Amino acid sequence: MSLASEHTARQAAERRIREVYPLVRQYLAGLLDDYRPRHGALRTAVGTLIGQGRSSPHEFALPLLIHGAISGDPEPAVPVAGVHALWWRAANTFDDLVDGDTGGHRLYGTDRGVAMLAALESGYALPLRALEAAELPTPLRRRLAADYLDCWTRATDGQIGDLLNHPQQVDTAQVLEVYRKKSGSVYEMAGTMAARLAHGTGRGQEASGGSGADGDDPSVAAWGEFGHLLGVLAQFRNDHDDLCGGPGEDLGNGTATYLLVHLLHSAPAAAREHALALLERTAAARSTRRELAAMMLAPKIVRPYNRFLTELHDRAHALLTTLAPASPFTDCLRARVDAETRLLEPRDTATAASVR
């Protein structure tokens, strides 16, 4: 296939994914209809969360693309996309509540306490109810629910680790473990559930048997690994955007990001002590954040960091080549891997001082 033909096919796949988005929204609305008439207040609160809560870029698309890459049709993954979106609405709500930067007693147009309770229902009870009601073989429904709960537990553990970690007290391996849990596990959930659904409904081994160690087609785990890598890259991209032109919240909050901890563990003793001294003052002084950012963007710090991200990027592409090399939906997934891979540009102190 020529490059022009590949581009046309990818555009058609992207259009097809967007055509399915309204079906996901209809599915979510249908889930809320089941709350009538006994749980009207909860229905309204969760509906507000779904309609006005903070969304995430891949919440609909990732399960649909992966199912499309496997089967050629994204539409059967609508329930998984809905469940994935519910998790993100809940997680983003808790994240905004923890950050405490939304202002006042309102969040997403409702009381903050109401938003918190709606998020609990949206992220936990409602997805499990949806999976239990799905018209699928019982073993498959149980496996999908287990996938979801495993993700919930690992992501929660990662979020707690993120809150408790201090840059001075952890190493890069510990930070990476947090990234793998808080972000990697969520994207892994989308990949695993979409692939399990595609293979468990006729395209691969049945959910009650198969060739994998746990009864799966082996590609189910491989798609989960792909999602995991994409999620970790997304977390690094989030760090990048905050540091380079963003509000600098991570430095202001003293968050144990991978790059900051990498600096603290790789810099000479004198530079490390200076960085730690700056870190103590970043919450109060923007100029201090700029100086610390300059140290983080020094060539000796950035080069090994970029090599590591490139390894993650290349592994994700290699998995796609193995799993579904010829699908236009795979080309869409490749584009998302590329978009989430933000390599840092090494900068000298004068240039890096312009970083906010």
Side-chain angles (χ1 to χ4, degrees):
M1 182 181 294
S2 68
L3 290 177
S5 297
E6 288 179 2
H7 180 68
T8 300
R10 178 180 149 192
Q11 287 182 318
E14 293 284 3
R15 283 196 302 272
R16 176 60 181 142
I17 291 297
R18 291 192 294 272
E19 290 171 356
V20 180
Y21 285 179
L23 301 180
V24 181
R25 297 187 181 96
Q26 291 172 20
Y27 176 78
L28 293 174
L31 293 178
L32 290 181
D33 283 343
D34 290 340
Y35 283 69
R36 300 177 187 267
R38 293 184 300 163
H39 310 301
L42 181 59
R43 180 185 182 277
T44 299
V46 176
T48 298
L49 192 71
I50 293 173
Q52 300 183 37
R54 179 160 60 91
S55 62
S56 291
H58 302 299
E59 60 182 15
F60 282 9
L62 186 57
L64 300 176
L65 286 169
I66 289 174
H67 198 284
I70 296 169
S71 70
D73 184 6
E75 191 169 328
V78 162
V80 173
V83 164
H84 196 227
L86 288 171
W87 188 95
W88 276 111
R89 287 295 192 278
N92 288 339
T93 301
F94 288 130
D95 189 49
D96 289 341
L97 287 167
V98 168
D99 287 344
D101 58 359
T102 55
H105 299 286
R106 309 284 289 179
L107 180 64
Y108 311 146
T110 190
D111 180 84
R112 290 167 65 89
V114 171
M116 180 183 68
L117 292 171
L120 181 61
E121 184 75 12
S122 173
Y124 190 71
L126 185 54
L128 294 180
R129 291 181 186 277
L131 293 172
E132 179 63 27
E135 296 182 358
L136 297 168
T138 298
L140 179 58
R141 284 191 284 109
R142 289 175 178 169
R143 297 299 294 279
L144 291 171
D147 292 335
Y148 186 82
L149 287 172
D150 286 346
C151 159
W152 176 279
T153 299
R154 283 183 283 133
T156 302
D157 185 65
Q159 290 286 358
I160 291 173
D162 191 43
L163 292 170
L164 295 179
N165 280 352
H166 299 285
Q168 308 93 320
Q169 300 170 0
V170 295
D171 59 25
T172 53
Q174 291 169 291
V175 176
L176 184 59
E177 181 66 9
V178 165
Y179 285 15
R180 291 188 184 282
K181 288 181 175 180
K182 67 177 285 191
S183 298
S185 64
V186 184
Y187 288 72
E188 181 179 343
M189 176 261 283
T192 300
M193 292 180 71
R196 193 184 304 284
L197 183 65
H199 287 282
T201 54
R203 286 303 303 262
Q205 303 294 329
E206 293 300 321
S208 57
S211 57
D214 61 352
D216 292 329
D217 184 290
S219 70
V220 171
W223 277 111
E225 182 185 356
F226 166 77
H228 186 98
L229 289 167
L230 184 63
V232 173
L233 286 169
Q235 181 60 55
F236 278 106
R237 188 265 309 152
N238 185 68
D239 294 352
H240 173 282
D241 292 351
D242 183 66
L243 181 68
C244 300
E249 290 178 350
D250 289 335
L251 286 179
N253 295 332
T255 302
T257 63
Y258 187 95
L259 186 62
L260 175 59
V261 173
H262 171 52
L263 166 68
L264 296 178
H265 279 267
S266 58
R272 181 179 187 275
E273 291 304 315
H274 182 56
L276 288 172
L278 292 172
L279 185 60
E280 293 295 324
R281 305 195 303 273
T282 53
R286 187 178 296 274
S287 61
T288 303
R289 293 199 293 273
R290 288 198 297 267
E291 186 176 353
L292 185 55
M295 297 180 69
M296 294 166 65
L297 293 171
K300 289 184 179 180
I301 303 301
V302 167
R303 286 172 186 145
Y305 175 89
N306 283 347
R307 284 197 297 270
F308 178 62
L309 291 190
T310 300
E311 290 172 4
L312 297 177
H313 168 275
D314 292 350
R315 174 59 182 159
H317 271 284
L319 281 168
L320 290 175
T321 298
T322 300
L323 290 166
S327 171
F329 294 104
T330 303
D331 294 334
C332 301
L333 289 167
R334 291 186 191 280
R336 282 158 173 78
V337 172
D338 294 343
E340 296 294 356
T341 306
R342 303 281 179 84
L343 301 183
L344 289 167
E345 179 184 352
R347 305 179 188 182
D348 58 32
T349 301
T351 303
S354 65
V355 177
R356 294 178 64 184

Short mmCIF file of all heavy atoms in Angstrom, two decimals, residues 96-97 100-108 110-113:
data_model
loop_
_atom_site.label_atom_id
_atom_site.label_comp_id
_atom_site.label_asym_id
_atom_site.label_seq_id
_atom_site.Cartn_x
_atom_site.Cartn_y
_atom_site.Cartn_z
N ASP A 96 -8.96 16.27 41.02
CA ASP A 96 -9.26 17.69 41.19
C ASP A 96 -9.58 18.01 42.65
O ASP A 96 -9.22 19.08 43.16
CB ASP A 96 -10.41 18.11 40.29
CG ASP A 96 -10.02 18.13 38.82
OD1 ASP A 96 -8.81 18.18 38.54
OD2 ASP A 96 -10.92 18.10 37.96
N LEU A 97 -10.25 17.10 43.32
CA LEU A 97 -10.56 17.32 44.74
C LEU A 97 -9.29 17.31 45.59
O LEU A 97 -9.13 18.12 46.50
CB LEU A 97 -11.54 16.25 45.22
CG LEU A 97 -12.98 16.38 44.74
CD1 LEU A 97 -13.76 15.12 45.04
CD2 LEU A 97 -13.67 17.59 45.38
N GLY A 100 -7.29 20.45 45.06
CA GLY A 100 -7.90 21.57 45.76
C GLY A 100 -7.80 22.89 45.05
O GLY A 100 -7.87 23.94 45.69
N ASP A 101 -7.64 22.86 43.72
CA ASP A 101 -7.45 24.13 43.00
C ASP A 101 -8.67 24.52 42.17
O ASP A 101 -8.58 25.32 41.25
CB ASP A 101 -6.22 24.05 42.09
CG ASP A 101 -6.32 22.90 41.08
OD1 ASP A 101 -7.33 22.18 41.11
OD2 ASP A 101 -5.37 22.75 40.29
N THR A 102 -9.82 23.92 42.48
CA THR A 102 -11.02 24.22 41.69
C THR A 102 -11.76 25.45 42.20
O THR A 102 -12.57 26.01 41.49
CB THR A 102 -11.97 23.01 41.71
OG1 THR A 102 -12.25 22.67 43.09
CG2 THR A 102 -11.33 21.82 41.03
N GLY A 103 -11.49 25.84 43.42
CA GLY A 103 -12.08 27.07 43.94
C GLY A 103 -13.46 26.87 44.54
O GLY A 103 -14.33 26.23 43.93
N GLY A 104 -13.66 27.39 45.74
CA GLY A 104 -14.97 27.38 46.36
C GLY A 104 -15.46 25.99 46.73
O GLY A 104 -14.69 25.04 46.87
N HIS A 105 -16.79 25.90 46.85
CA HIS A 105 -17.43 24.65 47.26
C HIS A 105 -18.07 23.93 46.08
O HIS A 105 -18.79 22.96 46.29
CB HIS A 105 -18.49 24.93 48.33
CG HIS A 105 -17.92 25.55 49.57
ND1 HIS A 105 -17.18 24.83 50.48
CD2 HIS A 105 -17.97 26.83 50.04
CE1 HIS A 105 -16.81 25.63 51.48
NE2 HIS A 105 -17.27 26.84 51.23
N ARG A 106 -17.81 24.38 44.86
CA ARG A 106 -18.43 23.79 43.68
C ARG A 106 -17.39 23.10 42.81
O ARG A 106 -16.23 23.50 42.76
CB ARG A 106 -19.13 24.88 42.84
CG ARG A 106 -20.07 25.76 43.62
CD ARG A 106 -21.37 25.07 43.93
NE ARG A 106 -22.20 24.88 42.74
CZ ARG A 106 -23.37 24.26 42.76
NH1 ARG A 106 -23.84 23.76 43.90
NH2 ARG A 106 -24.09 24.14 41.66
N LEU A 107 -17.83 22.06 42.15
CA LEU A 107 -16.97 21.34 41.21
C LEU A 107 -17.86 20.79 40.11
O LEU A 107 -18.83 20.08 40.39
CB LEU A 107 -16.23 20.20 41.92
CG LEU A 107 -15.29 19.36 41.05
CD1 LEU A 107 -14.14 20.22 40.51
CD2 LEU A 107 -14.71 18.18 41.85
N TYR A 108 -17.53 21.13 38.85
CA TYR A 108 -18.32 20.69 37.69
C TYR A 108 -19.79 21.10 37.82
O TYR A 108 -20.70 20.36 37.44
CB TYR A 108 -18.24 19.17 37.51
CG TYR A 108 -16.86 18.58 37.54
CD1 TYR A 108 -16.65 17.31 38.08
CD2 TYR A 108 -15.75 19.27 37.05
CE1 TYR A 108 -15.39 16.75 38.12
CE2 TYR A 108 -14.49 18.72 37.09
CZ TYR A 108 -14.31 17.46 37.63
OH TYR A 108 -13.05 16.90 37.69
N THR A 110 -21.59 21.45 40.53
CA THR A 110 -22.34 20.88 41.65
C THR A 110 -21.52 21.00 42.93
O THR A 110 -20.36 21.42 42.90
CB THR A 110 -22.69 19.40 41.37
OG1 THR A 110 -23.61 18.93 42.36
CG2 THR A 110 -21.45 18.52 41.38
N ASP A 111 -22.12 20.66 44.04
CA ASP A 111 -21.42 20.69 45.32
C ASP A 111 -20.25 19.71 45.30
O ASP A 111 -20.36 18.61 44.75
CB ASP A 111 -22.40 20.30 46.43
CG ASP A 111 -21.77 20.30 47.81
OD1 ASP A 111 -21.70 21.37 48.42
OD2 ASP A 111 -21.35 19.20 48.23
N ARG A 112 -19.13 20.09 45.91
CA ARG A 112 -17.95 19.25 45.88
C ARG A 112 -18.20 17.88 46.53
O ARG A 112 -17.72 16.86 46.04
CB ARG A 112 -16.79 19.96 46.59
CG ARG A 112 -16.24 21.15 45.84
CD ARG A 112 -15.32 22.00 46.71
NE ARG A 112 -14.12 21.27 47.08
CZ ARG A 112 -13.00 21.25 46.38
NH1 ARG A 112 -12.92 21.94 45.25
NH2 ARG A 112 -11.95 20.58 46.78
N GLY A 113 -18.92 17.87 47.62
CA GLY A 113 -19.24 16.60 48.26
C GLY A 113 -20.10 15.71 47.38
O GLY A 113 -19.90 14.49 47.32
#
